[in-house]
Amino acid sequence: MRRRLTSLGLLAFLGLGTVAFAQVTGTVNDASNLPEADIEVKVKGTDKVTYTDENGNFNIDAKVGDTLVINGKEFKVTSNNLGALKYTSQENVDLGEVVVVAFGKQRKEAVVGSMSIVDEKVLEKQQATNALSALQGSASGVSIINSGGQPGGNPTIRIRGVGSINASAEPLIVVDGVPFNGAISMISQDMIQSINVLKDAGSTALYGARAANGVILIETKKGKFSSTPQVSFSSQFGVADQAVKMHKRVGSEDFMKYTWEAMKNGNEGGAQFATDNLVTRLGYNPYGTITKPVDINGNLVPGAELLWDTDWENYLIDKSATRREYNVNVDGGNETTMYSFGAGYLNQEGSIVTSRFERTTVRGNIISKPADWLELGLNTLISFGYENGPTQSGNSYQSPIQWINSVSNIYPVYKRDASGNLLFNSLGNNIFDYGQDGDYLVNGTRPIMSNENAYGALLEGYKVTNKRTNVSVSGYAKVNFTDFLSLKSQISYQSYLFDNTSISSNTLGNAASVGGRIEKNRDTQVTKNFVNGLNFDKRFGDHGLRLDAIMELYDYNYETLLAGGKGYITGITTVGGTTSPENIGGAIYRERNLSYMGRASYDYMNKYFLEGTYKKEASTRFKRDLRWGEFYAVGAGWIISKENFLKGSDFISNLKLRGSYGETGNNRTSSYFPYSQDYAAGWSNLNETGLNATALVDDSITWEKQATTNIGLDFGFFKNRITGSVEYYNRASKDLIMGTALAPSGGMGFTSITTNIGSMKNYGIEVNLNTVNVRNDNFEWTTGINVGTVKNEITKLNGAEFIIDGTKRLEVGGDLYEFYIWEYAGVDPTDGAAMWYKDDADGNKVTTKDYSSATRYKQGKSSLPDFEGGFTNYFRYKNFDLNVLFNFSVGAYIYDSTYAGLMNTGASAGYQWSTDINDRWQNPGDITNTPKLTTSQNNYNSTSTRFLFKNDYLRLKALNVGYNFSQRNLQQMGIKGLRIYFQGDNLLTFQSHKGIDPEQSITGTTNSRSYQQRIYTVGFNVKL
């Protein structure tokens, strides 16, 4: 930790004369007697900092007339050798690095809860369009699953496991003290000072009903009092491809042969039938006029040459996507005011052809102290986003990834005649082949995804655009009644507008039959927040007392509007231009929270710490007489290293034990009014117009609750050259909102009612370790590693023995994400049929070829990893620096349905194959795990452990290497700093199961999601 000396005197031997520019040296005397000798020395108005060595020596670029700032105290430079600097007092040493906490700031040493801090030094070494992605590998206990290859997408974030089954598990996000609703991708990471993750009730309890899933505090950049204006500008340009390779797929020649084999095995006509009907089954012939390209032995006939072999990946994936980003910031301040203004522009292409994200952001922060008793602040953020966002996942014909893994290479991109020759339109251009052309017997009718062409759809068939506008303004006034008593009032307003437009071609694709479709969706979100806080903070000798009394009013309005029509003239892009209205819809939601809260913090000798928080909160998501809830937390800390028996230890620099317990809530229900009994109109009741209940609900439903215990040990050894922490947590969720069974005799046809009934817990250990391996004038090497574990256990259900949820089975004592699927037993070597396991009448486990009779088993394998985290190494040699960040995940499992589709047997004509199909069973006696190919209907690639894989991975998430130009040389040009660098993101991925991006859904299933990008960037930062 850095230490600030509150009382420091200067005795210096001063020389005469001046120097234009020199290395100024000096010694902070008696520094070695301090608990930590890492004293901060810098030239006033600059950011370049030198830290003293263990003897207090420093060497810094400065000139006569400059002002040195040594831990907050200023000294004029009158010589290039300042001699000895002596302390007039060593008794009042402020050890307090200040960190952002709930509704305020706190000295880091006084924190009793659990938090992870990611500062701007970490952020600037990565280039995520969504700044929260920077938490991956940098914050322990935080699981990040990035959304894929569409820039600007929001990642899935889980803090210390999953705290709910049906309600939201997303954390609360707070920006500059204000709850943030909207897309975080609308905030440039260049504008962020720090991201703090609050992980336990001891740190989140003041957020009450919204804090069950953790809280992420984002602090944007601020200026500095008494500092000269500093202008910084950064520019980046990069190119990107996919971070990992897709599953390998067969080419046209192998595809024709495999299809022939499947036809031979699946038809009584055998080899001759397959030869005679191969082209008829597939509808296309990439060998032109050779009508029977495969002979009765399964080989290509002499002279057969491919006219085309379509690799759809080359058409649909952008392997040279570009990225451009520019940012400018102006920071500074005088004795009474500090300011920070910034603007940024980003234009990044995605991994899917035509996908793109564009963002323009403007920010301004001002803090002014016009009088000793008054402080005023204003934070503003305005951002505009445009996104061309074609479908990035799913199994529809519009999903490029689904298309690549479904449609064989034998189907061309552009239309061809019966002989395989390309066709052209009247302008001489190629015509996209939509696989539904009755003019030809062959090369006109595609049996798979007919009337569509994924590449044509991206270029001219479909267009999906998203526009976002975010305006956030917050201001506060703080009145200091005394030096220990103050009142702060803050009011904020955020408007987030999301416009989605979807246009389906009126001449091509599935909407051509109705003249095309245009659909418009508009979401408007307005958030207003008002906070009043009274703060008392005073020391009484060795005793420190801080009291906070806070009132918060939160008002959120969400309005949706949907309109769509069909039939339009080419060139029309508005719903009003369609000839037939097709759908219209809309809704208005409103949520309000009122809360009163208090926090009391006490310390004795800055050594022993106690803290308690209490919150009483009302939420409109629950019935009027059940809206109020109470949340609390208590915590304690003990800095053991300050005890006399450890003081002056050469081994232990810092040792702190802390613990907390508390309860928070989760009101993020799927409905804004979960207690309200809803009815649907338009039903006929005995030939009379009537209403039907949509579902039965319990009107006494209330928020889910979580009780969290956290115990942590912070440590520092060898004058803090080794620092870190170890934490244990237990996060128990109760009153989970679930459907509980009703007796059928209850009437109305309902068999369940939604109420608070379930419980589960997440528990684990987190370890953080940081080391200063080498640090001298020319070379520096530091290392950091964090590892977190999480175990999940369901402790109470809704009275049922178990609940089947997709590939999972929920039951008491089990893991929420443990796989419950059929168990594959391999291939019968006699006939090549797939086999599975089942329990016979006696309970014995036997094999069966009948999938419908196979038994589903709990596999003891979860999609949650055993542990995950990251490690980083920073190197500096003279003016060169290198930062390397890896993130990893170990122990999770993934069910790869994409691969399952590629391992089909040929029952569906034209469906693509993986190259692994080469290992198929072919003859009696073959030993393999891949069944025979056959056009007969079967369940060989149905859901089973055949496609369940370990999902361990290690990823080089970020690599940044740069050169910092000498300040001595730059100063003559009026430049304070210049750095040029190369930045690489997702450069390498080592994974146990190849073919997919290892970051998939939290449930461990795939959905043809686009792949993350590997980005190569060059850039520079300049400070004026």
Side-chain angles (χ1 to χ4, degrees):
M1 283 182 281
R2 298 177 185 176
R3 308 180 183 276
R4 183 181 306 157
L5 305 179
T6 58
S7 181
L8 178 66
L10 174 63
L11 296 176
F13 298 100
L14 304 178
L16 300 176
T18 61
V19 292
F21 199 88
Q23 292 286 315
V24 173
T25 62
T27 300
V28 181
N29 199 23
D30 295 331
S32 59
N33 294 329
L34 292 175
E36 179 185 329
D38 205 9
I39 307 301
E40 178 182 289
V41 184
K42 70 174 183 178
V43 177
K44 184 177 180 181
T46 71
D47 288 330
K48 187 171 182 180
V49 176
T50 291
Y51 295 95
T52 61
D53 63 18
E54 61 184 8
N55 296 316
N57 300 314
F58 65 87
N59 187 317
I60 190 169
D61 287 342
K63 64 180 184 298
V64 172
D66 281 346
T67 299
L68 290 189
V69 181
I70 303 179
N71 282 10
K73 293 295 181 178
E74 298 181 357
F75 307 98
K76 283 288 185 180
V77 175
T78 56
S79 170
N80 65 341
N81 186 346
L82 291 180
L85 312 180
K86 293 185 179 180
Y87 298 108
T88 57
S89 171
Q90 297 182 17
E91 297 175 357
N92 190 7
V93 180
D94 181 6
L95 302 177
E97 177 186 348
V98 176
V99 295
V100 179
V101 297
F103 295 96
K105 295 183 178 181
Q106 193 173 28
R107 287 182 300 125
K108 189 175 181 180
E109 71 165 7
V111 173
V112 297
S114 177
M115 68 166 58
S116 290
I117 302 173
V118 176
D119 60 22
E120 62 178 324
K121 293 180 181 178
V122 176
L123 293 170
E124 68 185 11
K125 296 297 189 297
Q126 301 181 46
Q127 48 190 9
T129 54
N130 190 306
L132 295 184
S133 296
L135 295 174
Q136 187 178 44
S138 300
S140 62
V142 182
S143 298
I144 302 286
I145 298 179
N146 286 295
S147 56
Q150 175 63 43
N154 289 322
T156 299
I157 303 173
R158 296 292 182 267
I159 298 175
R160 290 184 167 179
V162 181
S164 180
I165 295 177
N166 295 316
S168 172
E170 294 290 328
L172 172 67
I173 297 174
V174 178
V175 179
D176 288 331
V178 179
F180 186 89
N181 294 307
I184 290 295
S185 59
M186 297 301 290
I187 302 177
S188 168
Q189 73 177 47
D190 184 72
M191 299 178 175
I192 295 176
Q193 183 76 31
S194 66
I195 302 177
N196 290 7
V197 182
L198 311 183
K199 298 183 285 189
D200 72 324
S203 56
T204 65
L206 286 185
Y207 290 105
R210 296 164 289 169
N213 301 310
V215 181
I216 297 177
L217 305 179
I218 298 176
E219 187 83 355
T220 60
K221 292 181 177 179
K222 306 294 190 292
K224 297 179 181 178
F225 289 111
S226 302
S227 62
T228 57
Q230 177 172 286
V231 179
S232 60
F233 174 77
S234 66
S235 175
Q236 298 178 350
F237 177 80
V239 294
D241 59 2
Q242 291 196 136
V244 299
K245 293 181 179 179
M246 301 182 68
H247 286 297
K248 294 180 180 179
R249 303 168 303 278
V250 303
S252 292
E253 180 179 329
D254 285 337
F255 185 86
M256 298 291 283
K257 292 178 180 179
Y258 292 149
T259 302
W260 177 91
E261 183 178 328
M263 294 176 67
K264 180 197 72 168
N265 293 338
N267 195 285
E268 293 182 0
Q272 189 62 57
F273 176 86
T275 296
D276 294 342
N277 295 278
L278 176 61
V279 173
T280 301
R281 177 175 175 80
L282 297 176
Y284 281 69
N285 184 6
Y287 292 97
T289 57
I290 300 177
T291 58
K292 298 179 181 181
V294 181
D295 64 23
I296 60 173
N297 296 314
N299 300 316
L300 288 180
V301 300
E305 294 184 3
L306 286 171
L307 298 180
W308 70 86
D309 188 1
T310 307
D311 187 342
W312 289 100
E313 181 180 343
N314 288 337
Y315 286 93
L316 298 173
I317 302 300
D318 191 344
K319 298 181 180 180
S320 58
T322 61
R323 185 183 195 276
R324 290 175 290 137
E325 185 170 14
Y326 312 98
N327 293 285
V328 61
N329 287 281
V330 181
D331 304 304
N334 55 27
E335 288 75 13
T336 60
T337 301
M338 66 179 181
Y339 56 85
S340 178
F341 297 96
Y345 173 78
L346 169 68
N347 191 322
Q348 182 172 343
E349 296 176 343
S351 64
I352 302 297
V353 170
T354 74
S355 65
R356 181 168 64 91
F357 178 75
E358 187 176 3
R359 178 186 66 209
T360 303
T361 312
V362 179
R363 172 193 59 86
N365 295 334
I366 300 177
I367 296 177
S368 180
K369 296 181 178 179
D372 291 341
W373 58 272
L374 180 63
E375 178 178 315
L376 304 173
L378 178 66
N379 299 325
T380 60
L381 174 68
I382 303 173
S383 49
F384 307 94
Y386 173 84
E387 179 180 272
N388 191 36
T391 303
Q392 303 282 316
S393 63
N395 57 8
S396 73
Y397 50 80
Q398 296 177 354
S399 170
I401 303 299
Q402 172 74 10
W403 187 280
I404 292 169
N405 290 311
S406 299
V407 180
S408 166
N409 291 27
I410 70 165
Y411 300 110
V413 174
Y414 301 108
K415 187 177 292 188
R416 295 172 181 267
D417 63 19
S419 299
N421 301 309
L422 283 167
L423 297 177
F424 303 91
N425 60 20
S426 59
L427 299 176
N429 298 322
N430 294 120
I431 306 170
F432 284 110
D433 189 313
Y434 276 75
Q436 195 174 41
D437 194 329
D439 294 341
Y440 310 111
L441 295 177
V442 295
N443 300 334
T445 303
R446 190 190 324 122
I448 181 173
M449 295 190 178
S450 62
N451 198 28
E452 286 301 337
N453 182 310
Y455 186 56
L458 290 175
L459 298 187
E460 59 181 31
Y462 305 95
K463 187 173 185 180
V464 180
T465 60
N466 299 315
K467 295 180 180 179
R468 297 179 174 91
T469 303
N470 181 85
V471 177
S472 300
V473 180
S474 68
Y476 73 86
K478 181 180 179 182
V479 177
N480 299 309
F481 301 110
T482 67
D483 61 351
F484 57 84
L485 182 64
S486 63
L487 174 66
K488 181 179 179 180
S489 294
Q490 180 174 16
I491 188 168
S492 65
Y493 173 89
Q494 180 193 1
S495 174
Y496 177 72
L497 178 65
F498 174 77
D499 272 319
N500 166 263
T501 303
S502 177
I503 302 175
S504 300
S505 173
N506 59 347
T507 59
L508 303 168
N510 74 331
S513 60
V514 296
R517 284 190 172 90
I518 299 177
E519 186 171 283
K520 182 84 169 183
N521 296 272
R522 169 168 287 188
D523 295 345
T524 304
Q525 302 177 53
V526 175
T527 306
K528 289 172 280 188
N529 204 71
F530 179 62
V531 179
N532 265 329
L534 184 65
N535 171 261
F536 174 91
D537 191 353
K538 186 174 177 61
R539 297 205 66 82
F540 304 90
D542 290 333
H543 305 273
L545 180 63
R546 174 173 174 170
L547 302 173
D548 297 293
I550 306 168
M551 184 277 289
E552 180 187 25
L553 178 62
Y554 171 83
D555 190 314
Y556 173 70
N557 290 268
Y558 176 37
E559 184 172 352
T560 67
L561 178 64
L562 163 68
K566 60 184 179 181
Y568 65 89
I569 299 173
T570 301
I572 297 294
T573 58
T574 63
V575 176
T578 58
T579 57
S580 302
E582 195 169 34
N583 51 55
I584 189 169
I588 297 176
Y589 306 95
R590 188 176 185 186
E591 177 185 2
R592 284 164 293 168
N593 283 40
L594 175 64
S595 56
Y596 302 94
M597 62 199 98
R599 173 170 53 200
S601 303
Y602 166 80
D603 76 83
Y604 177 64
M605 297 179 65
N606 285 315
K607 185 192 308 182
Y608 310 104
F609 302 89
L610 291 174
E611 183 172 288
T613 59
Y614 170 80
K615 182 167 188 173
K616 189 175 182 65
E617 182 171 11
S619 170
T620 56
R621 292 203 179 209
F622 308 109
K623 195 169 70 171
R624 187 177 298 275
D625 57 349
L626 294 173
R627 286 177 178 169
W628 287 96
E630 297 178 86
F631 310 96
Y632 70 93
V634 292
W638 173 27
I639 301 182
I640 307 171
S641 55
K642 288 188 177 182
E643 297 293 351
N644 290 331
F645 58 82
L646 284 180
K647 258 187 177 179
S649 169
D650 293 331
F651 175 61
I652 298 177
S653 310
N654 177 49
L655 194 63
K656 177 184 175 182
L657 180 66
R658 52 186 166 80
S660 68
Y661 174 84
E663 292 190 359
T664 54
N666 186 3
N667 71 344
R668 308 284 189 86
T669 54
S670 57
S671 166
Y672 282 86
F673 310 101
Y675 65 91
S676 175
Q677 181 64 66
D678 296 333
Y679 296 86
W683 293 89
S684 175
N685 293 338
L686 299 177
N687 296 321
E688 297 293 334
T689 301
L691 302 174
N692 266 8
T694 56
L696 287 184
V697 299
D698 179 1
D699 66 357
S700 64
I701 201 169
T702 186
W703 36 59
E704 301 179 347
K705 300 180 181 67
Q706 289 195 6
T708 304
T709 301
N710 189 89
I711 300 174
L713 179 69
D714 303 325
F715 56 82
F717 303 122
F718 305 112
K719 297 184 178 180
N720 284 332
R721 292 185 74 94
I722 300 175
T723 60
S725 64
V726 179
E727 295 188 62
Y728 167 80
Y729 66 90
N730 190 312
R731 177 186 176 199
S733 305
K734 58 183 180 180
D735 295 336
L736 299 182
I737 299 173
M738 303 180 67
T740 186
L742 290 176
S745 58
M748 299 181 68
F750 293 106
T751 59
S752 68
I753 183 171
T754 301
T755 186
N756 297 99
I757 194 168
S759 299
M760 68 177 177
K761 64 179 180 179
N762 296 272
Y763 56 96
I765 296 174
E766 295 171 8
V767 178
N768 294 272
L769 182 65
N770 301 285
T771 63
V772 179
N773 306 314
V774 181
R775 178 179 286 167
N776 56 45
D777 291 343
N778 291 327
F779 184 68
E780 182 179 356
W781 172 27
T782 61
T783 299
I785 184 170
N786 67 84
V787 180
T789 71
V790 60
K791 297 294 182 182
N792 176 271
E793 181 183 342
I794 299 171
T795 55
K796 182 181 178 182
L797 274 180
N798 56 0
E801 181 183 354
F802 59 84
I803 299 173
I804 303 297
D805 183 14
T807 58
K808 313 299 185 299
R809 170 171 145 157
L810 313 184
E811 62 182 349
V812 173
D815 181 337
L816 181 62
Y817 293 119
E818 182 181 348
F819 284 95
Y820 177 68
I821 57 179
W822 293 265
E823 191 167 338
Y824 189 57
V827 173
D828 187 337
T830 62
D831 61 3
M835 300 184 296
W836 302 268
Y837 287 107
K838 73 171 185 178
D839 292 337
D840 64 14
D842 298 324
N844 298 314
K845 201 171 186 179
V846 298
T847 61
T848 179
K849 296 180 184 179
D850 179 11
Y851 182 76
S852 63
S853 69
T855 302
R856 294 180 75 171
Y857 298 100
K858 294 196 73 172
Q859 299 300 322
K861 300 171 181 177
S862 174
S863 59
L864 297 178
D866 293 333
F867 60 90
E868 60 184 332
F871 61 91
T872 182
N873 277 280
Y874 171 77
F875 302 91
R876 177 188 59 81
Y877 176 70
K878 294 186 177 180
N879 291 347
F880 291 93
D881 59 64
L882 169 66
N883 192 82
V884 183
L885 170 65
F886 286 87
N887 71 289
F888 56 85
S889 175
V890 176
Y893 280 80
I894 188 85
Y895 182 82
D896 190 351
S897 58
T898 299
Y899 183 68
L902 286 167
M903 294 300 287
N904 71 92
T905 65
S908 298
Y911 209 102
Q912 181 61 288
W913 271 301
S914 164
T915 55
D916 290 346
I917 210 71
N918 183 59
D919 297 328
R920 70 205 179 281
W921 180 95
Q922 298 179 69
N923 300 297
D926 286 351
I927 304 299
T928 178
N929 256 354
T930 305
K932 65 183 178 182
L933 299 179
T934 176
T935 54
S936 300
Q937 293 300 317
N938 59 76
N939 299 106
Y940 293 175
N941 66 333
S942 295
T943 303
S944 75
T945 55
R946 180 184 174 193
F947 307 111
L948 183 64
F949 302 97
K950 290 198 71 172
N951 194 33
D952 301 340
Y953 73 91
L954 171 66
R955 172 168 275 166
L956 176 52
K957 181 172 173 62
L959 182 148
N960 187 292
V961 56
Y963 178 80
N964 300 276
F965 286 85
S966 171
Q967 190 176 20
R968 181 184 303 173
N969 297 329
L970 294 174
Q971 192 173 34
Q972 299 175 1
M973 298 182 289
I975 299 175
K976 296 179 180 178
L978 174 61
R979 181 176 186 267
I980 59 173
Y981 61 89
F982 165 80
Q983 169 79 36
D985 291 80
N986 301 324
L987 292 183
L988 295 172
T989 302
F990 307 94
Q991 56 192 128
S992 57
H993 175 59
K994 299 183 182 299
I996 60 170
D997 192 312
E999 293 180 45
Q1000 297 288 329
S1001 70
I1002 194 77
T1003 60
T1005 55
T1006 61
N1007 190 31
S1008 294
R1009 199 201 69 182
S1010 61
Y1011 291 51
Q1012 285 193 69
Q1013 293 179 291
R1014 174 170 48 197
I1015 308 174
Y1016 308 86
T1017 301
V1018 292
F1020 68 87
N1021 299 328
V1022 61
K1023 295 181 179 180
L1024 304 175

